[in-house]
Amino acid sequence: MSKNVSIKLENVQQIIDDQEKQRINNQYQGEFYIKNEKLYLSYQDDAEGMDGARTVVKIDPERERVLLLRHQPAAMKQDFVIGKKQEGYFKTAYGEIKMAVKTKRLEMEISENAGLIRINYQVFLGGELNAEHHLKINYKILKEK
C-alpha cells in the first residue's frame, strides 16, 4: 500500500574547475511504498528541463544502497554504493551520456514515517572527474485527511 509523502531534495554541486558551488533545492509530493524489504519514493519531477519525468528513489537499507532512476524525457540512472564507482547514464535529446558515480559517503536515517539520506558522491563523464555532489533527500509521510 502506498502512502502520500513530502520529499525535499537538496543538492550542492561543485563542477571541477569552477570555484562556485550550485545549490539546488526542490520539494515534491509523491508516494512512498515498501516492496521486498526495500523502500521506494516516487514523484513527478517538474524542475526545469525535466518535463514531469517520473523519478523513483529505491532505498535498500540492508545493502546500504540507493538507486535513483528517472524516466523519459530526462532519463537517468545513478546507483549509490559506499566506496564503489557504479556505471550509470543520463539521456538527453541529443543521445545518451555514459557516466559513473563514486559514492564517498552514504548515511541513512529511515523509518516508515520519515527519513533522511545523505549522499556525497563524485560524477565521472567519459572517465574524467566532472563534479562533486552533496545530496540530501528528506521524506515525511503525510497524514491522511
Side-chain angles (χ1 to χ4, degrees):
M1 184 178 107
S2 71
K3 299 176 181 175
N4 290 331
V5 67
S6 171
I7 303 164
K8 184 177 177 186
L9 296 181
E10 297 174 44
N11 190 12
V12 177
Q13 83 177 24
Q14 172 112 39
I15 305 288
I16 302 305
D17 299 331
D18 186 353
Q19 298 302 316
E20 212 162 303
K21 292 181 180 177
Q22 288 185 319
R23 295 181 187 280
I24 301 163
N25 294 308
N26 291 314
Q27 189 116 11
Y28 304 100
Q29 301 291 314
E31 61 179 323
F32 169 90
Y33 55 97
I34 298 173
K35 183 175 162 185
N36 299 327
E37 298 177 20
K38 292 162 188 65
L39 291 72
Y40 291 82
L41 300 171
S42 175
Y43 61 93
Q44 301 293 118
D45 194 338
D46 52 11
E48 188 176 338
M50 299 304 151
D51 297 327
R54 183 174 132 93
T55 302
V56 176
V57 180
K58 178 180 174 185
I59 305 160
D60 186 346
E62 192 175 304
R63 290 201 173 121
E64 295 187 334
R65 178 181 179 202
V66 175
L67 183 63
L68 186 64
L69 287 172
R70 187 183 316 125
H71 298 279
Q72 294 288 9
M76 179 184 71
K77 176 185 171 192
Q78 291 180 314
D79 191 0
F80 303 104
V81 180
I82 189 77
K84 293 198 176 172
K85 190 174 180 181
Q86 302 281 98
E87 296 297 318
Y89 60 82
F90 182 75
K91 290 183 181 174
T92 70
Y94 307 104
E96 183 175 297
I97 298 169
K98 296 279 184 203
M99 72 169 169
V101 292
K102 183 174 183 183
T103 307
K104 296 165 74 176
R105 175 178 152 199
L106 176 58
E107 294 176 357
M108 298 184 215
E109 300 167 30
I110 54 176
S111 74
E112 289 186 30
N113 296 316
L116 173 62
I117 300 163
R118 286 188 181 94
I119 307 171
N120 293 0
Y121 64 99
Q122 298 172 312
V123 173
F124 292 82
L125 297 176
E128 299 288 317
L129 179 60
N130 174 264
E132 298 261 354
H133 289 258
H134 298 270
L135 176 64
K136 193 157 75 169
I137 303 169
N138 231 318
Y139 70 88
K140 186 173 184 182
I141 302 301
L142 299 171
K143 299 240 186 283
E144 308 238 351
K145 296 188 181 188

